[in-house]
Amino acid sequence: MKSEPKVYSIEDLQRENTTLWDGVRNYQARNYLKQMHIGDIAFFYHSNCQNIGIIGLMKIIETNVIDRTQFDVNSPYFDIKATINNPRWHTVTVQFKEKFNKVISLNTLKEQFTAEELLVVKKGNRLSVMPIPEKTAQKIILMGNH
DNA sequence: GCCAACGTTGGC
DNA sequence: GCCAACGTTGGC
């Protein structure tokens, strides 16, 4: 799960402990959010910044939550086509789990994994939420703990 | 700041 | 339903 640290960083999550992952406005990313289960582990990725890469771990603690920013005319995530009775955007609540000592940089990820093993290294990929195969996930967790 | 990649919109 | 135009993402 990607976030620009200028907007919301892992330090913000560490401080708040939990947060609603709102503002996703891409159908494919939303569909991946819908597939998440309580207890799932997610990787926090800092994008569009000095130090791009995976910076830590989160846990999914609530699923299928309505993203209320879609109804808020003052929110940058307002969606005029969404209604209370027919909301378009659902998301998850995440909980801070772990911050890595050192970011696992995009370059390192590209060296270690193919696009099939890890979608985020695929050229042109712009999804902010994407699945990671179990085997890849285990390897990244090990890398993060070193 | 640039721009490739890609998603969305809307005219036809 | 096609596709040009436009907007956004995000690495560099």
Side-chain angles (χ1 to χ4, degrees):
Chain A
M1 300 170 79
K2 296 181 187 172
S3 180
E4 300 187 20
K6 268 180 286 183
V7 179
Y8 195 86
S9 69
I10 196 160
E11 290 79 13
D12 294 323
L13 180 60
Q14 188 165 24
R15 191 176 55 249
E16 296 179 0
N17 188 38
T18 69
T19 193
L20 185 71
W21 203 266
D22 55 12
V24 173
R25 292 293 179 270
N26 171 288
Y27 288 103
Q28 211 178 337
R30 182 202 65 182
N31 293 342
Y32 286 137
L33 285 168
K34 278 187 175 173
Q35 290 173 16
M36 293 181 178
H37 298 99
I38 290 173
D40 282 353
I41 297 302
F43 295 88
F44 199 127
Y45 179 96
H46 277 173
S47 67
N48 201 13
C49 59
Q50 250 347 60
N51 220 349
I52 299 162
I54 296 175
I55 183 65
L57 304 177
M58 308 181 274
K59 190 199 255 183
I60 308 303
I61 58 166
E62 194 180 17
T63 58
N64 214 33
V65 190
I66 290 173
D67 179 348
R68 306 209 69 84
T69 61
Q70 68 192 301
F71 309 128
D72 178 1
V73 287
N74 296 316
S75 168
Y77 307 122
F78 175 67
D79 183 346
I80 197 165
K81 290 175 179 166
T83 62
I84 299 281
N85 289 330
N86 200 8
R88 282 188 163 188
W89 306 104
H90 292 73
T91 187
V92 298
T93 304
V94 298
Q95 181 173 47
F96 176 82
K97 184 171 167 64
E98 179 182 333
K99 183 187 168 186
F100 296 155
N101 294 327
K102 183 165 162 274
V103 69
I104 307 175
S105 73
L106 180 58
N107 272 342
T108 301
L109 293 170
K110 281 177 176 170
E111 285 167 13
Q112 299 290 322
F113 299 107
T114 65
E116 279 189 354
E117 290 167 327
L118 184 64
L119 257 178
V120 79
V121 304
K122 191 174 178 180
K123 192 186 172 195
N125 172 68
R126 298 187 315 171
L127 278 179
S128 64
V129 179
M130 66 200 87
I132 301 186
E134 184 67 31
K135 201 172 168 186
T136 304
Q138 297 299 345
K139 286 183 186 172
I140 296 173
I141 289 171
L142 286 177
M143 289 162 72
N145 289 334
H146 284 173

